[in-house]
Amino acid sequence: MTHYIQDYIDLVRSGTVQVCRDQLLLVYYVEKCFRTESIYVDENQLERYMDQQKYFPYRLLEWETFCFALHNCVYKAPGRLRWPILMIVVGRGAGKNGYLAFEDFCLITPINGIEKYNIDMFANSEDQARATFDDIYDILESDKRYFEKYFTWNKEQIVNKKTKSRIKYYTRAPNSKDGGRPGKVDFDELHAYLNSALLDVAVTGLGKRPMPRRTYISTQGNVRDGPLDRYMTKGLKVLEGTEPDNGWLYFFCRLDSDEEIHKPETWAKANPSLNDPTRQELREEILLEYEEYKQDPASHSAFATKRMNRPQGNTETEVTSWENILAANAPYPDAPPDAVHTAVFGIDYADTRDFVAAGILWKIGDIWCWKVHSWICTQSPALPRIQFPYMEAVARKEATLVDAPQIPDDDPVNWIEEQAEHYNLRFGAIDHYRIALMRKALREKGWDPDPKRGNIKLTYRPEVSEVAPIITSAFISHKIRWGDSMTMRWYTNNTCRKIDSNGNITFEKIEPKTRKTDGFMAFVAAFIVANKHEDIFEVLPDLTELPDVYVF
């Protein structure tokens, strides 16, 4: 093993610098791979790459040479990289764009040994897409007379004359002429991607050139359940040894807890470059930002989220924390195999021309269990604005597409009837404004909204305020389970709490046009009727051991 890898492993294990749990897992994992697999380092190639630092105004730090060596010079066979996909998540200011600039500069040179090894850089904004590109451009501009022998460049692309490899940046998928045969693709600030559409398209051209690579760099951000969360969840399973890496190398740096935000001596866990004594100005800037964060955490939440990689969310308005949403995203508790659970249901929609949701709520021990289904109108003019991979939800059978001007009121009612074959359904609930369209279909199935003798509860805003603290408490104590449901994660994360002058809580949409809350509001409706008739639920012993949560 080369010293570029071993030196960083020794540093992490030395105890002389602050490192997070993820880094300890990583170095153990790398050592295990070298110990148990037939892999090797091309040390001659690596030294030639490292010699390219002479053209840069900075030297790579230990963590950067570690990543570079593993990603670019470790092989399982000639021409077959062991870790062709690198994901770096470090705190803002660590120098991830500087790392990427060095890597991409090296890979278009003859050292890589592959002609037309084109590199496509992607980001959500042009400024961010240009960040790494401009770092390389500025180096070439700094000594035009020398570099013109080896490169041609302008504001749009950089080309190595000998290899004919070029670097370009994009904010959307390139056409086949521009980006059809990349050797490598880069994704900057992965946290800003709401879904994986661009990422999926961008990598489809890989494999037409030898030794295809991908590099993802990011800090944390405020988008939840997007590609960053999903990749990090997968990465943690790899580092913990429960899943194969499939060629991915995960380099994660973050504080191990929110409490460490207030312990400056631990900040290098999120930003490994702080271990370098020459980065004093960076440390001083972070200290200044910390003082602002202490005075007003809500207005300066980027300090915790981006500097320390500890996403905070909007704690003043969010329904509950992302961690509590993940805890709800778990298997239902075990119950006797022949148990038929007493249950209630809830239905909600804002407009039957876009989304409708219905769900079943029951109780096992002290755990509230929720099962939801959604209907999506394909003719809705609002559908193109929805930032949610709803076709994936359809494939997972969490949602049904309805190709009609609006969703028929029979659809959710028929689904409720199907559930009645498996649950002892006693009551249902729907907002009193929503009953008009559903009244006939519900009555035909025996569900009557009559306030005196009916079995459908019409819900009102004051009743939402009544159950909101109960729902909040159930989230905090992890007494809600809805299985592995991407739609409920989305619905819940789209919902905010609104507190009036009297301290009453209601639930609202965070953003009305691109986010939907129907599944969560159906859950609230079911909770209202469940709270009114809690005595109907069968009582099972409290479950002390629950299955592990799904983490996303």
Side-chain angles (χ1 to χ4, degrees), residues 249-313:
L249 178 67
Y250 298 97
F251 189 91
F252 298 157
C253 290
R254 56 181 176 169
L255 299 188
D256 288 317
S257 68
D258 286 348
E259 288 72 23
E260 290 183 338
I261 293 172
H262 303 287
K263 298 177 181 179
E265 67 275 11
T266 69
W267 290 350
K269 289 185 177 183
N271 187 336
S273 298
L274 290 175
N275 290 318
D276 181 4
T278 67
R279 302 296 175 97
Q280 189 58 32
E281 287 186 3
L282 173 62
R283 179 172 286 276
E284 290 174 359
E285 173 59 29
I286 295 176
L287 281 167
L288 288 174
E289 293 180 20
Y290 172 61
E291 292 302 320
E292 295 173 340
Y293 172 80
K294 283 196 301 182
Q295 295 298 319
D296 186 1
S299 299
H300 297 89
S301 62
F303 176 82
T305 300
K306 295 183 177 296
R307 289 290 193 187
M308 302 298 147
N309 279 336
R310 297 292 302 182
Q312 300 297 289

Side-chain angles (χ1 to χ4, degrees), residues 41-307:
V41 180
D42 186 333
E43 298 201 36
N44 178 60
Q45 183 186 50
L46 178 54
E47 290 295 346
R48 293 175 66 200
Y49 279 139
M50 290 295 107
D51 187 52
Q52 303 304 296
Q53 293 181 80
K54 64 190 177 187
Y55 301 123
F56 284 72
Y58 51 83
R59 303 285 294 181
L60 298 185
L61 301 178
E62 291 95 333
W63 71 268
E64 294 173 304
T65 55
F66 173 77
C67 288
F68 185 94
L70 291 170
H71 183 37
N72 297 290
C73 298
V74 177
Y75 295 87
K76 52 188 177 182
R80 297 184 63 200
L81 295 165
R82 173 59 181 85
W83 287 287
I85 307 172
L86 170 64
M87 182 176 180
I88 297 176
V89 181
V90 291
R92 176 187 284 171
K96 58 188 183 299
N97 285 104
Y99 166 83
L100 191 58
F102 176 79
E103 179 174 275
D104 287 353
F105 178 90
C106 289
L107 291 176
I108 65 170
T109 68
I111 302 171
N112 188 20
I114 302 172
E115 290 193 349
K116 296 182 179 180
Y117 196 80
N118 297 335
I119 298 176
D120 294 341
M121 298 175 169
F122 293 90
N124 264 0
S125 69
E126 182 171 340
D127 285 346
Q128 195 60 50
R130 289 184 61 101
T132 299
F133 180 92
D134 285 346
D135 284 348
I136 303 172
Y137 179 92
D138 291 343
I139 288 170
L140 301 179
E141 286 283 306
S142 69
D143 193 349
K144 284 186 177 181
R145 194 168 182 179
Y146 176 79
F147 284 113
E148 282 176 345
K149 295 182 289 185
Y150 306 104
F151 297 90
T152 60
W153 66 91
N154 55 38
K155 290 289 188 178
E156 295 183 353
Q157 68 176 13
I158 296 167
V159 180
N160 183 282
K161 291 182 176 180
K162 187 169 185 178
T163 65
K164 299 180 179 60
S165 302
R166 62 109 182 101
I167 300 172
K168 292 189 73 170
Y169 61 88
Y170 302 88
T171 57
R172 60 181 183 271
N175 61 43
S176 58
K177 180 180 178 181
D178 285 340
R181 298 173 179 268
K184 180 175 187 275
V185 291
D186 298 332
F187 298 98
D188 197 352
E189 295 299 9
L190 189 61
H191 69 80
Y193 289 84
L194 298 176
N195 57 56
S196 61
L198 174 60
L199 285 72
D200 293 342
V201 172
V203 301
T204 56
L206 289 172
K208 298 175 183 178
R209 306 303 300 159
M211 292 198 293
R213 289 176 174 88
R214 285 181 255 171
T215 301
Y216 301 81
I217 60 173
S218 191
T219 63
Q220 265 292 357
N222 295 317
V223 174
R224 297 275 66 82
D225 212 18
L228 176 61
D229 280 348
R230 296 187 185 195
Y231 290 168
M232 287 195 69
T233 297
K234 173 74 174 178
L236 291 174
K237 291 179 180 178
V238 169
L239 296 179
E240 290 168 354
T242 60
E243 290 193 11
D245 62 52
N246 296 322
W248 285 67
L249 178 67
Y250 298 97
F251 189 91
F252 298 157
C253 290
R254 56 181 176 169
L255 299 188
D256 288 317
S257 68
D258 286 348
E259 288 72 23
E260 290 183 338
I261 293 172
H262 303 287
K263 298 177 181 179
E265 67 275 11
T266 69
W267 290 350
K269 289 185 177 183
N271 187 336
S273 298
L274 290 175
N275 290 318
D276 181 4
T278 67
R279 302 296 175 97
Q280 189 58 32
E281 287 186 3
L282 173 62
R283 179 172 286 276
E284 290 174 359
E285 173 59 29
I286 295 176
L287 281 167
L288 288 174
E289 293 180 20
Y290 172 61
E291 292 302 320
E292 295 173 340
Y293 172 80
K294 283 196 301 182
Q295 295 298 319
D296 186 1
S299 299
H300 297 89
S301 62
F303 176 82
T305 300
K306 295 183 177 296
R307 289 290 193 187

Side-chain angles (χ1 to χ4, degrees), residues 40 60 138 180 218 225 266 343 479 488 492 521 541-542 548:
Y40 65 93
L60 298 185
D138 291 343
S218 191
D225 212 18
T266 69
K479 295 190 183 303
M488 273 309 292
T492 307
M521 296 311 295
D542 285 349
D548 293 336

